[in-house]
Amino acid sequence: MTVMETTRLLGFLEERSQVDWLRALDELGPTIHPVDRDATRIWFAFWPLELRDALAGSPDPKEPMKIARLMDLEGNWRLEEQIDSAVSFLYGAHFWTRVKNSVLGEADATSGSLAPTIRSIAQKVGAAERIDPSLVLGIAAVGLMLFRQVGFERLERSKDTSAAPPLLPRDPAKVLAGRDRKSSDGLFTFLKGVNRKWDVRWEEKRTDGVFRAINGQDIAMAGGDTGSDYRHLDYRRPAGPVPVECRVGSCGYCWVGLLAGRENLTSMTSFERERLRYFGYDTVNAPDDANPLIRLACQAQCQGDVTLTISPWNGELERRHDQGRKKLGTA
Ligand code: FES
């Protein structure tokens, strides 16, 4: 790819807003394989353009942390440091090296809209890997958005590396069966009634990535009951595998994406919906969906088994960004 072609592809992508990307996902959604259909939208919620634009627009280059502080960002919000780990919860991560290379070589495939460009990458990767392109359609969209956010040089530097292990099973049917697996309380499950316990798979790639929730218990509280400290994975996890601070919907630490079983959580309240909007986490949630993809773990109570994935960062994306820019005199 020549520098001019690279600029052309990036220029094409830079003209697309977050809304354009979400429209493309809506258009492609039915043709993305079920194993990655929700995972793809969750990735776009975890890595919205607004986050990248807020950080790139930091008014004081000598103090890049200033805008991060104003947005109360915690965890690791730098996508450029996580090119190969931020995609690992997608099934398509098996083909990540090929996807990156295909994105880097795709300058001439821009056709005026996003969906055909994404489809073109998926078809090329599918043909090269001899797989159904639907299996890589989601990660092709992720690859293009990641290119848009980290730029050519960073993606080029990582072009030979694979997605960070562990990855999901290679057989997509096995992944879907794992998400469908029903928990059991043993021989007397049928006698437990409201005292039943459910499986919360917080990291489906790990054999120990599951904890139990009492019927009606919220995800964050149930994770805390494990009595384990997960700060070796992420300093925001002092009590269980889910990041928490307030446990009452105030801090925004505990946002998660539901890969399966979202209908097994209590319906979202207007309070939780408002909090998600305040933090700017609600970009992929349908406005009236009572059981959307993105939830606050401290507000969602278990009434069945769920499989989730955890965002590596939290913060106040919308409001604090605006306030911060006003404070810094750049709004
Ligand atoms: S732990 Fe603070 S919002 Fe859930």
Side-chain angles (χ1 to χ4, degrees), residues 220 243-254 279 296-299:
V244 288
E245 193 183 63
C246 70
R247 297 181 188 275
V248 291
S250 294
C251 70
Y253 272 51
C254 68
F279 294 117
L296 291 176
C298 69
Q299 300 298 302

Side-chain angles (χ1 to χ4, degrees), residues 104-124:
L104 288 165
E106 194 65 5
D108 55 355
T110 55
S111 67
S113 61
L114 278 170
T117 307
I118 295 166
R119 219 177 259 124
S120 164
I121 289 168
Q123 271 157 2
K124 285 180 185 166

Side-chain angles (χ1 to χ4, degrees), residues 200 202-211 230 232 241:
V200 177
W202 58 273
E203 173 53 274
E204 64 179 336
K205 300 181 264 91
R206 294 167 58 127
T207 48
D208 61 348
V210 59
F211 58 79
Y230 287 83
H232 59 287

Side-chain angles (χ1 to χ4, degrees), residues 76-246:
N76 190 356
W77 62 86
R78 298 177 185 87
L79 182 55
E80 65 274 15
E81 293 176 1
Q82 306 170 71
I83 289 174
D84 293 328
S85 59
V87 301
S88 291
F89 71 89
L90 288 111
Y91 168 81
H94 285 290
F95 312 101
W96 183 228
T97 311
R98 181 89 66 184
V99 169
K100 284 188 285 184
N101 279 282
S102 188
V103 167
L104 288 165
E106 194 65 5
D108 55 355
T110 55
S111 67
S113 61
L114 278 170
T117 307
I118 295 166
R119 219 177 259 124
S120 164
I121 289 168
Q123 271 157 2
K124 285 180 185 166
V125 174
E129 297 282 352
R130 297 170 188 245
I131 55 166
D132 185 332
S134 71
L135 287 166
V136 284
L137 197 49
I139 200 149
V142 164
L144 265 181
M145 177 56 122
L146 198 138
F147 178 45
R148 158 73 176 85
Q149 295 202 30
V150 306
F152 178 78
E153 273 179 29
R154 285 208 166 94
L155 196 64
E156 230 260 339
R157 276 208 295 273
S158 78
K159 71 183 168 60
D160 295 325
T161 54
S162 309
L167 300 182
L168 292 166
R170 185 74 177 211
D171 179 355
K174 206 169 164 186
V175 178
L176 291 171
R179 291 174 186 168
D180 268 353
R181 200 174 50 236
K182 300 279 178 275
S183 58
S184 162
D185 281 339
L187 277 177
F188 301 106
T189 293
F190 68 98
L191 291 175
K192 295 268 181 175
V194 292
N195 295 322
R196 271 215 66 176
K197 288 188 175 175
W198 307 107
D199 281 347
V200 177
R201 294 177 204 102
W202 58 273
E203 173 53 274
E204 64 179 336
K205 300 181 264 91
R206 294 167 58 127
T207 48
D208 61 348
V210 59
F211 58 79
R212 303 280 275 162
I214 301 165
N215 190 52
Q217 193 174 29
D218 72 65
I219 297 171
M221 184 65 77
D225 284 353
T226 60
S228 301
D229 186 323
Y230 287 83
R231 275 179 287 200
H232 59 287
L233 296 178
D234 179 344
Y235 72 87
R236 301 172 306 147
R237 307 187 193 191
V242 180
V244 288
E245 193 183 63
C246 70

Side-chain angles (χ1 to χ4, degrees), residues 33-104:
H33 192 283
V35 75
D36 265 353
R37 198 171 290 156
D38 286 347
T40 303
R41 293 184 77 83
I42 291 169
W43 190 95
F44 274 77
F46 285 179
W47 300 108
L49 263 184
E50 286 88 342
L51 175 64
R52 188 262 172 208
D53 289 347
L55 294 169
S58 182
D60 187 350
K62 287 194 199 119
E63 277 204 75
M65 287 298 288
K66 192 180 254 182
I67 197 81
R69 279 198 301 274
L70 286 164
M71 294 165 69
D72 277 347
L73 294 182
E74 296 286 350
N76 190 356
W77 62 86
R78 298 177 185 87
L79 182 55
E80 65 274 15
E81 293 176 1
Q82 306 170 71
I83 289 174
D84 293 328
S85 59
V87 301
S88 291
F89 71 89
L90 288 111
Y91 168 81
H94 285 290
F95 312 101
W96 183 228
T97 311
R98 181 89 66 184
V99 169
K100 284 188 285 184
N101 279 282
S102 188
V103 167
L104 288 165

